[in-house]
Amino acid sequence: GENVEQHPSTLSVQEGDSAVIKCTYSDSASNYFPWYKQELGKRPQLIIDIRSNVGEKKDQRIAVTLNKTAKHFSLHITETQPEDSAVYFCAATLVGNQFYFGTGTSLTVIP
Amino acid sequence: EADIYQTPRYLVIGTGKKITLECSQTMGHDKMYWYQQDPGMELHLIHYSYGVNSTEKGDLSSESTVSRIRTEHFPLTLESARPSHTSQYLCASSDPGTFYEQYFGPGTRLTVT
């Protein structure tokens, strides 16, 4: 099955700086890579996703890049704000199958 | 409003008791999932279902069972609760129309004493 590794496990940045979270996957058949944000005490929610036929996708301050050859994808948050503080999970899947989640990154944005 | 619901939200129960965690969704999704998650930690897949009368085991399926008699309902049963079951349980559902994006319920926080 698929194996997803996520780094770093914790990340602290100053407000306004950028944050980058990286994930690698093992199964070259995976073709869908979502990112979820989980605020303290709340449910995970999808913030951005990318399909294997796209190399980069951007939504305001959030972007995701995918390198299929190297089997890794990254989440980029620019101009971080305190409300970006949360746990972020990457996932990989072959569409229609179960999601394989990373172990999570706890992001703290320091005002 | 279409959503995914879980009851109870909090439960404290003694060791050895049988418990059922309820999950219902009004989004008409075929696929449903159960995850176990310690606060802020990794999501562990317990069981999943592709539709009515379909159930599959995940990584942490031992000691629990699920059923899928109706599309909207996917209950999780622990036959004999143990302190190691203390955790948060998240139910999720997904739909092919949105690339199978998983929508999560609010969770049930279980404490076994």
Side-chain angles (χ1 to χ4, degrees):
Chain A
E2 175 65 275
N3 181 48
V4 177
E5 295 188 356
Q6 182 172 346
H7 300 281
S9 57
T10 60
L11 179 61
S12 291
V13 299
Q14 290 292 136
E15 182 177 357
D17 288 349
S18 295
V20 180
I21 302 170
K22 298 181 179 181
C23 290
T24 61
Y25 62 100
S26 60
D27 189 349
S28 57
S30 291
N31 60 3
Y32 178 60
F33 307 91
W35 285 88
Y36 284 79
K37 175 184 181 182
Q38 186 177 28
E39 297 177 12
L40 187 63
K42 297 192 175 180
R43 68 184 86 181
Q45 291 193 304
L46 179 74
I47 55 170
I48 196 168
D49 56 13
I50 192 167
R51 305 174 198 174
S52 60
N53 60 348
V54 175
E56 184 174 359
K57 183 177 179 181
K58 189 174 182 180
D59 183 4
Q60 299 183 333
R61 296 186 297 108
I62 294 173
V64 57
T65 58
L66 171 66
N67 184 325
K68 285 171 51 181
T69 303
K71 294 206 276 291
H72 66 71
F73 57 111
S74 300
L75 177 71
H76 304 254
I77 306 174
T78 59
E79 301 172 17
T80 53
Q81 301 169 3
E83 52 264 39
D84 294 329
S85 295
V87 179
Y88 292 81
F89 293 95
C90 63
T93 185
L94 174 63
V95 169
N97 292 350
Q98 68 179 79
F99 280 26
Y100 293 88
F101 284 92
T103 49
T105 296
S106 178
L107 173 65
T108 301
V109 179
I110 304 166
Chain B
E1 180 182 343
D3 204 348
I4 183 163
Y5 303 93
Q6 291 186 240
T7 57
R9 295 292 313 280
Y10 302 91
L11 179 63
V12 180
I13 200 163
T15 298
K17 299 291 186 182
K18 178 179 179 178
I19 56 172
T20 295
L21 307 184
E22 301 288 346
C23 176
S24 294
Q25 49 98 1
T26 56
M27 296 183 284
H29 290 172
D30 287 330
K31 295 194 175 184
M32 296 188 74
Y33 313 81
W34 275 106
Y35 293 91
Q36 181 180 339
Q37 184 192 34
D38 291 329
M41 303 297 286
E42 187 175 0
L43 292 152
H44 295 281
L45 182 64
I46 311 171
H47 294 277
Y48 57 104
S49 167
Y50 289 148
V52 171
N53 294 324
S54 154
T55 60
E56 302 287 342
K57 293 183 177 183
D59 304 326
L60 273 180
S61 58
S62 62
E63 306 167 357
S64 64
T65 58
V66 291
S67 63
R68 190 87 182 277
I69 299 172
R70 304 198 316 264
T71 298
E72 63 272 19
H73 194 213
F74 190 42
L76 173 74
T77 297
L78 294 176
E79 295 294 333
S80 179
R82 300 210 301 248
S84 61
H85 293 138
T86 295
S87 188
Q88 176 168 252
Y89 293 82
L90 289 166
C91 182
S93 69
S94 66
D95 180 79
T98 53
F99 250 74
Y100 290 104
E101 171 190 345
Q102 295 204 2
Y103 294 86
F104 286 86
T108 293
R109 190 170 296 279
L110 173 66
T111 302
V112 183
T113 60

